[in-house]
């Protein structure tokens, strides 16, 4: 008897008895490879988030990441589709590479949308 299910991640239908499968919840399944890839991406994303938070705390000389900055980060991630590493590289580009003053930051990271593309181009050129 075939146990056809749909992978939570890739949305493809398959027989869970014939292909290595991970049970995500009571009635949800995923290919083992899709699940492993999703876990690796989640781990990398978490590491990038922690790196960004540590950098901002060090850059702005804070004791903790203030809610205002957390909201800015979430807005950039959700609305602008930026990445944690992209935000960190934008800040590094603006303050370290370009040598701009941190005093103008007013305790936030509002400069990111204005320099994100320039920072991307800079780091892309470095990579090439």
């Amino acid at each position: 008897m075939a146990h056809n299910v749909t992978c939570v991640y890739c949305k493809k239908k398959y027989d869970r008895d014939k292909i290595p499968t991970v049970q995500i919840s009571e009635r949800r399944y995923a290919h083992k490879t899709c699940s492993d890839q999703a876990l690796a991406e989640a781990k990398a994303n978490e590491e990038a988030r922690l790196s960004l938070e540590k950098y901002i705390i060090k850059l702005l000389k804070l004791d903790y990441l203030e809610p205002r900055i957390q909201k800015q980060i979430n807005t950039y991630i959700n609305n602008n589709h930026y990445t944690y590493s992209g935000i960190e590289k934008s800040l590094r580009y603006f303050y370290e590479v370009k040598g701009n003053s941190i005093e103008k930051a007013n305790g936030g990271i509002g400069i990111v949308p204005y320099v994100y593309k320039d920072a991307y181009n800079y780091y892309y050129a470095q990579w090439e």
Side-chain angles (χ1 to χ4, degrees), residues 81-83 86-87 90 111-121:
H81 307 290
Y82 293 168
T83 62
I87 295 169
S90 295
I111 193 64
V112 170
Y114 300 101
V115 299
Y116 195 88
K117 189 67 176 168
D118 292 339
Y120 173 85
N121 292 336

Side-chain angles (χ1 to χ4, degrees), residues 3-128:
H3 289 101
N4 288 329
V5 294
T6 302
C7 178
V8 171
Y9 300 108
C10 72
K11 309 293 186 225
K12 293 181 182 172
K13 291 189 180 290
Y14 69 98
D15 186 342
R16 71 177 191 207
D17 294 333
K18 294 181 181 176
I19 296 176
T21 300
V22 174
Q23 188 169 3
I24 305 297
S25 64
E26 188 176 323
R27 296 176 57 183
R28 296 177 57 166
Y29 298 88
H31 295 103
K32 172 104 171 75
T33 54
C34 292
S35 176
D36 292 346
Q37 182 179 358
L39 289 173
E41 288 172 5
K43 183 179 181 211
N45 201 29
E46 181 66 13
E47 288 171 359
R49 183 185 65 80
L50 293 173
S51 175
L52 171 63
E53 289 178 1
K54 277 176 36 180
Y55 180 72
I56 292 172
I57 287 170
K58 182 180 145 212
L59 178 72
L60 300 177
K61 298 176 180 76
L62 302 171
D63 295 327
Y64 62 94
L65 199 65
E66 296 173 352
R68 178 177 134 212
I69 297 172
Q70 289 175 343
K71 184 172 191 256
Q72 286 176 312
I73 292 170
N74 289 335
T75 300
Y76 299 150
I77 297 289
N78 297 327
N79 297 352
N80 300 32
H81 307 290
Y82 293 168
T83 62
Y84 292 115
S85 63
I87 295 169
E88 182 177 343
K89 286 178 181 169
S90 295
L91 293 169
R92 287 185 185 278
Y93 171 77
F94 187 72
Y95 293 113
E96 294 176 18
V97 175
K98 289 295 185 184
N100 289 295
S101 172
I102 293 166
E103 282 71 43
K104 294 179 183 175
N106 294 325
I109 58 168
I111 193 64
V112 170
Y114 300 101
V115 299
Y116 195 88
K117 189 67 176 168
D118 292 339
Y120 173 85
N121 292 336
Y122 172 79
Y123 285 107
Y124 185 75
Q126 297 287 314
W127 177 77
E128 282 187 329

